[in-house]
Amino acid sequence: MSEARPLENRVAVVTGAARGIGRGIALRLAERGARVAVIDMNLEAAEAVAVEAGNESFGMRLDVSDRPAVDAAIADIVERAGRIDILVNNAGINRDAMLWKMTDDEWDAVISVDLSAVFYTCRAVGTHMRANGYGRIVNVSSASWMGNIGQTNYAAAKAGVVGLTRSISKELARSGVTANAVCPGFIETDMTRGMPEHLFAAQLEKIPMQRAGQPEDVANVVAFLSSDDSSYVTGEVINIGGGYKL
Ligand code: NAI
């Protein structure tokens, strides 16, 4: 980074930021100077992250898969903070099952939170950024977008995020708005700690760097993509996995 607080005076929206990778991203953007709207289903935890972040950051309860609520929340944030410069779509869920066991509900839940919600926020915030002539959008996909056992729904959604991101990067490029995707590999959070121990150990063995990633490993790359240091980088898909690739 060219300066200690390169995001000073920037307003950032980070979804799913009450814990895990999203929390790490919110704190890192704030440390670099941004005021952060910490969005999550869990308001209490989101507010605690906002207090930790400082810079007049604030927590908001929002289900990102609820389209009318997304539009209202984005309008609310613009009203409160004046504008939005950075959008990080991090909220995500998994409902893993083999194809022959996957229910309609498991499919629908993951597609709506991991893909449709990214469209809702990108449309609402992207329209605003286009009018402002400036913006940084970072969408959190996953190494699993390449296809993974037990993750038909999740891989489809995360591959969708890559296609969506590359498309909007082309549409918004002339308006000073960049859009990039990051693909975390295996990061230690509540999501992965919920795995059976033998599967967790098996994942570690596949990582050339021989350790699970930490939320900060993802947050550092997102901070770069949220800054002016990446102003000529758009439509990229960046793996953050210690060398791990499917
Ligand atoms: P996590 O489960 O620890 O945290 C996710 C956060 O999103 C929670 O605070 C949750 O309340 C929130 N959230 C869930 N549904 C929401 C909704 N509808 N509206 C608003 N907030 C909602 O997950 P983790 O591990 O921090 O993952 C964050 C992102 O990174 C997800 O998109 C995940 O798919 C992706 N990812 C994670 C990897 C890992 O190894 N942990 C690997 C690759 C991608």
Side-chain angles (χ1 to χ4, degrees):
M1 290 287 158
S2 47
E3 47 187 313
R5 285 170 68 87
L7 305 181
E8 194 81 60
N9 298 321
R10 297 283 186 215
V11 177
V13 172
V14 184
T15 71
R19 69 180 200 188
I21 295 173
R23 173 178 174 274
I25 291 170
L27 295 178
R28 185 53 42 92
L29 296 186
E31 186 189 292
R32 303 256 162 106
R35 180 180 187 188
V36 184
V38 180
I39 287 182
D40 207 282
M41 302 273 276
N42 183 341
L43 178 61
E44 209 178 313
E47 283 179 334
V49 172
V51 168
E52 213 179 334
N55 305 343
E56 293 181 69
S57 298
F58 52 93
M60 268 181 105
R61 194 203 170 274
L62 173 68
D63 175 354
V64 290
S65 67
D66 178 347
R67 207 270 305 150
V70 168
D71 287 344
I74 296 306
D76 203 25
I77 294 167
V78 171
E79 167 94 23
R80 188 162 167 176
R83 63 184 191 286
I84 298 170
D85 304 297
I86 299 162
L87 167 66
V88 183
N89 275 305
N90 164 83
I93 58 169
N94 57 356
R95 298 282 182 275
D96 294 359
M98 297 304 265
L99 173 65
W100 47 93
K101 290 185 183 165
M102 190 171 285
T103 64
D104 290 355
D105 284 350
E106 287 165 342
W107 171 265
D108 290 343
V110 170
I111 296 297
S112 79
V113 177
D114 293 13
L115 179 57
S116 298
V118 177
F119 165 64
Y120 301 149
T121 54
C122 282
R123 183 175 56 184
V125 179
T127 304
H128 164 81
M129 288 174 166
R130 181 170 176 262
N132 276 356
Y134 182 88
R136 296 280 177 270
I137 297 174
V138 186
N139 291 329
V140 179
S141 177
S142 165
S144 291
W145 80 273
M146 303 291 279
N148 202 14
I149 289 174
Q151 296 198 311
T152 302
N153 48 3
Y154 187 77
K158 293 298 190 179
V161 167
V162 169
L164 179 156
T165 306
R166 290 174 55 102
S167 299
I168 66 170
S169 75
K170 293 179 180 181
E171 294 182 5
L172 296 171
R174 70 192 64 185
S175 306
V177 180
T178 66
N180 294 285
V182 294
C183 297
F186 190 65
I187 312 296
E188 216 175 327
T189 66
D190 291 320
M191 186 185 264
T192 46
R193 277 191 289 263
M195 291 170 79
E197 212 169 301
H198 69 283
L199 290 180
F200 192 98
Q203 286 296 326
L204 280 186
E205 274 177 28
K206 295 183 200 158
I207 303 170
M209 284 191 181
Q210 299 186 309
R211 68 166 177 91
Q214 297 300 315
E216 295 70 31
D217 292 315
V218 180
N220 288 333
V221 180
V222 173
F224 165 69
L225 293 172
S226 301
S227 76
D228 288 345
D229 286 348
S230 61
S231 54
Y232 201 56
V233 179
T234 197
E236 298 300 338
V237 181
I238 300 179
N239 290 311
I240 308 167
Y244 173 80
K245 285 186 190 73
L246 278 168

